[in-house]
Amino acid sequence: MPGAARGLDVGMSASVMPALSVLDLVPVRVGQTSAQAVATSLGLAARADDLGYRRYWFAEHHNMPAVASTTPPVLIAAAAARTTRIRVGSGGVMLPNHAPLIVAEQFAALEALAPGRIDLGLGRAPGSDPVISHLLRLSGTTSDVDKFPDHVRDIRSLVSAEGATVQFASGGTYDVHATPAPTSVPEVWLLGSSDYSAQLAAALGLPYVFANHFSGEGLDRALGLYRSQFQPSDALAAPRTFLTANVIAADSAEEAEERALPQLRMMARLRTNKPLTPLESVEQSTAGAADFDGMATSIMTSTRAKWFVGTGADVQAQLTEFAARHGVDEVMISPIAGAYDSESMDAAAGRIRTLELLAA
């Protein structure tokens, strides 16, 4: 079982394994269909449930050939139907892409489907390029990034039993509810990789997740701001945070390093503005090594240094030290193990094995 939690946001002994959760971008391999990729991730969610992981979140990304997690609420509903215990949620919904009422209604419905198991992680990044952002944000003023704090407050009100009240300039009010009669509400988290999101979460008294898997830059500063500026709220009495991490565990260190290659090459393409493709297999990544220039190779090296890759025991030790160093009792892993040519398109052997080894 993944390590048990020790309170909310506390320092930990270096010998205590943190609780583990999963972040899923629903990766798509070369030759794999969207249906196969989604089915694979739902199977992974069921396995995480069996293994005792704390939560399973789906990210929101758009128009990327290697990522099928475009609609977190749909994936969350499917995962909730295939699990019994684990919390399921968004990591996150990119709020400027959506009207707050729609988000509130979707997650109120999810909470009705799986009471007490729904997390609503909210972010303000677009999750794609400017063209896609424009297409997603044709809803007028609801797409104004500057209104993100107001829209977070609106969603919290809308999903509550009391609902929200619209005030008309001419006088009078109008009550709005995301669902008629809620018995519980989704837990709202703010996500981000900047000072802004950390400070907003602190000001609103909400739990906060730093997107360490994205780059890792600014982690200590963001956590410091969140903890030092936190204002208790009706949602949370004290700071509560955990961290994300890119992780691959395998039966040997050599296999783990091989399974890291497809994602490393995708990150190099992304950061050098090369055309994106579905994820290569390990063999394709190895054969294509000569295609990359020095800059791409350097990006791969620096990126790999921030990941947790190795045998199960090695990665467990790395994650335990990582959690203790930053004073958190939970780490959300993004299991990014690539696949070999011989492996089925209907499963993700490397990702499943990562979860199994870390839960041992």
Side-chain angles (χ1 to χ4, degrees), residues 20-27 37-50 52-59 69 72 75-80 83 85-91 107 117-120 242 330 332-335 348 351-352 355:
L20 295 179
S21 297
V22 180
L23 175 66
D24 194 352
L25 278 66
V26 191
V38 170
T40 294
S41 281
L42 294 178
L44 193 67
R47 188 66 179 130
D49 190 33
D50 293 340
Y53 282 73
R54 178 176 285 182
R55 59 185 102 236
Y56 198 103
W57 285 5
F58 293 97
S69 59
L75 296 169
I76 292 165
T83 56
R85 177 204 53 80
I86 196 169
R87 296 189 66 89
V88 287
S90 58
F107 278 80
R117 290 207 292 136
I118 301 299
D119 292 332
L120 171 52
F242 62 80
E330 179 178 354
M332 176 170 277
I333 67 169
S334 179
R351 298 171 73 210
I352 290 173
L355 267 57

Side-chain angles (χ1 to χ4, degrees), residues 128-291:
S128 189
D129 57 69
V131 174
I132 297 301
S133 297
H134 174 73
L135 294 174
L136 288 166
R137 297 177 180 181
L138 295 178
S139 53
T141 56
T142 61
S143 65
D144 188 345
V145 174
D146 291 338
K147 293 186 177 180
F148 180 74
D150 292 333
H151 291 164
V152 172
R153 295 186 185 95
D154 291 343
I155 288 173
R156 293 187 63 209
S157 295
L158 287 163
V159 298
S160 70
E162 296 77 18
T165 301
V166 176
Q167 301 281 345
F168 295 113
S170 58
T173 61
Y174 189 87
D175 292 335
V176 185
H177 298 264
T179 193
T183 55
S184 59
V185 298
E187 188 169 77
V188 178
W189 292 72
L190 286 194
L191 320 178
S193 57
S194 68
D195 294 352
Y196 176 91
S197 54
Q199 291 174 302
L200 179 60
L204 297 179
L206 291 176
Y208 168 67
V209 181
F210 182 86
N212 180 71
H213 71 288
F214 186 70
S215 71
E217 301 298 329
L219 168 59
D220 290 324
R221 175 175 170 80
L223 290 185
L225 288 170
Y226 173 65
R227 288 165 169 156
S228 64
Q229 298 182 13
F230 183 85
Q231 299 295 314
S233 69
D234 57 352
L236 197 62
R240 184 182 185 188
T241 184
F242 62 80
L243 302 175
T244 62
N246 290 311
V247 173
I248 301 171
D251 292 298
S252 71
E254 294 77 12
E255 179 188 346
E257 295 294 346
E258 289 177 351
R259 288 190 182 276
L261 287 173
Q263 280 283 355
L264 285 171
R265 282 172 58 82
M266 187 183 76
M267 293 306 298
R269 285 194 183 92
L270 182 66
R271 292 175 181 172
T272 55
N273 294 316
K274 295 183 183 297
L276 298 180
T277 67
L279 278 176
E280 299 170 328
S281 67
V282 171
E283 290 87 349
Q284 289 168 329
S285 295
T286 303
D291 297 339

